[in-house]
Amino acid sequence: MRGLNFISLAIFLVLTTLQEAWSHGDQPLSKIGIHKATVDLNHDAYVKASPSVLGLKEQTTEWVTLEYGSPKPSADDWIGVFSPANFNSSTCPQEKPTVYPPLLCSAPIKYQFANYSSPKYKDTGKGYLKLQLTNQRSDFSFALFSGGLSNPKLVAVSNQVAFANPNAPVYPRIAQGKQWNEVSPIFLFF
């Protein structure tokens, strides 16, 4: 019996290790404490996205260039990509009184640290970044956050960027549901 318990424990440990290897650890977006996000807009901080219209040649993915700056740069600053572009509290659905809503109504679909392609960002407060976007059937905006991933502070929001044909058929995906904490599958048939 003791041998059987040892074998069961060994199998459990191997399966646990394999699960961790298969899943590659935590999903990167799960590291963002968006439920703790605060708004601290700074008039001297900025994010500029170009081009503002994507997919003019019927592409379903395209690169966007971001220029950004902050008067108080930090190694923890990061850029979040939001779709739909309007993610402020005015668009939040009415919450139940027993549920504490987030201060932002949406989480980013992608992010990158501000110093990723601009190693001197912390010294200069200026940076640039190229991000590839896939047609999400909605517009995009980009936000500069300070405070790291665990305590994000919204510092600046970019202009909106959209695909010329947002309804072009692309890939199956999930979308935000009726509540801030729900997702729904979307199936596209061609």
Side-chain angles (χ1 to χ4, degrees), residues 1 3 22 34 62 91 93 121 167-168 170 176 189-190:
M1 187 69 165
W22 285 331
I34 203 68
E62 195 163 348
T91 63
Y121 169 77
N167 296 322
V170 283
Q176 185 171 354
F189 300 100
F190 303 97

Side-chain angles (χ1 to χ4, degrees), residues 39-87:
V39 178
D40 190 19
L41 294 174
N42 185 318
H43 296 293
D44 295 326
Y46 63 92
V47 181
K48 297 176 187 173
S50 63
S52 58
V53 179
L54 308 172
L56 291 173
K57 297 180 182 175
E58 299 184 23
Q59 309 97 307
T60 57
T61 63
E62 195 163 348
W63 290 90
V64 172
T65 302
L66 304 176
E67 291 182 46
Y68 47 89
S70 173
K72 299 176 186 177
S74 162
D76 290 341
D77 292 358
W78 56 279
I79 301 285
V81 181
F82 290 84
S83 182
N86 189 3
F87 59 92

Side-chain angles (χ1 to χ4, degrees), residues 7-23:
I7 291 172
S8 297
L9 179 61
I11 290 172
F12 175 75
L13 291 174
V14 167
L15 290 175
T16 303
T17 304
L18 287 176
Q19 174 61 30
E20 183 67 25
W22 285 331
S23 68

Side-chain angles (χ1 to χ4, degrees), residues 15-167:
L15 290 175
T16 303
T17 304
L18 287 176
Q19 174 61 30
E20 183 67 25
W22 285 331
S23 68
H24 303 291
D26 291 335
Q27 203 279 348
L29 292 173
S30 71
K31 296 176 183 176
I32 299 173
I34 203 68
H35 61 287
K36 296 180 186 176
T38 58
V39 178
D40 190 19
L41 294 174
N42 185 318
H43 296 293
D44 295 326
Y46 63 92
V47 181
K48 297 176 187 173
S50 63
S52 58
V53 179
L54 308 172
L56 291 173
K57 297 180 182 175
E58 299 184 23
Q59 309 97 307
T60 57
T61 63
E62 195 163 348
W63 290 90
V64 172
T65 302
L66 304 176
E67 291 182 46
Y68 47 89
S70 173
K72 299 176 186 177
S74 162
D76 290 341
D77 292 358
W78 56 279
I79 301 285
V81 181
F82 290 84
S83 182
N86 189 3
F87 59 92
N88 68 31
S89 61
S90 69
T91 63
C92 293
Q94 187 66 24
E95 293 291 330
K96 297 176 186 172
T98 59
V99 177
Y100 179 73
L103 298 175
L104 298 180
C105 290
S106 182
I109 60 171
K110 182 186 280 197
Y111 79 92
Q112 188 58 263
F113 283 100
N115 61 4
Y116 177 74
S117 57
S118 302
K120 295 185 179 185
Y121 169 77
K122 186 178 175 199
D123 300 325
T124 65
K126 298 188 185 309
Y128 76 95
L129 187 61
K130 287 189 85 157
L131 295 171
Q132 188 174 27
L133 299 180
T134 300
N135 187 344
Q136 296 284 94
R137 298 182 177 237
S138 189
D139 51 3
F140 297 86
S141 64
F142 308 87
L144 176 62
F145 288 88
S146 64
L149 298 177
S150 58
N151 291 302
K153 293 179 186 171
L154 178 62
V155 177
V157 179
S158 75
N159 53 299
Q160 295 182 2
V161 171
F163 274 84
N165 184 5
N167 296 322

